[in-house]
């Protein structure tokens, strides 16, 4: 799922970094709201990757240890990453 001003999924750097796997993966473009609606529809917990912050930032937590990832409420998770991660 690609949103906003993201890089072209068929940019030569993307294809090189993915060893051309990008050609085989399904994708679609949409808004953040549409992604959250997909997460809700498929019972996925939305999670976001973030670069290590400075003083006062929250510590990193492995996805498997998230207290919010309740197996009774969610079937899995959706990990959103950006160029900052």
């Amino acid at each position: 799922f690609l949103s906003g001003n993201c890089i072209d999924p068929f940019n030569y750097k993307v294809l090189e970094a993915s060893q051309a796997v990008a050609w085989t993966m399904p994708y679609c473009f949409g808004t953040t709201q549409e992604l959250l609606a997909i997460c809700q529809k498929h019972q996925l917990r939305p999670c976001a990757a973030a670069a290590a912050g400075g003083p006062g930032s929250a510590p990193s937590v492995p996805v498997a240890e998230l207290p919010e990832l309740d197996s009774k409420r969610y079937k899995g998770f959706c990990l959103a990453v950006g160029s900052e991660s």
Side-chain angles (χ1 to χ4, degrees):
F1 191 91
L2 305 165
S3 69
N5 228 1
C6 70
I7 192 166
D8 177 0
F10 302 111
N11 175 290
Y12 76 95
K13 289 183 180 181
V14 173
L15 295 173
E16 183 179 311
S18 72
Q19 296 183 352
V21 170
W23 287 114
T24 66
M25 297 182 69
Y27 68 94
C28 65
F29 291 92
T31 65
T32 303
Q33 290 76 20
E34 290 170 325
L35 178 59
L36 292 173
I38 290 170
C39 289
Q40 186 174 17
K41 177 182 176 182
H42 295 283
Q43 295 179 308
L44 302 174
R45 172 70 170 129
C47 302
S57 65
S60 297
V61 178
V63 172
E65 296 176 16
L66 286 173
E68 299 88 2
L69 195 56
D70 180 1
S71 62
K72 294 176 185 157
R73 185 172 175 195
Y74 299 106
K75 293 182 180 178
F77 66 94
C78 172
L79 179 61
V81 297
S83 61
E84 73 285 345
S85 300

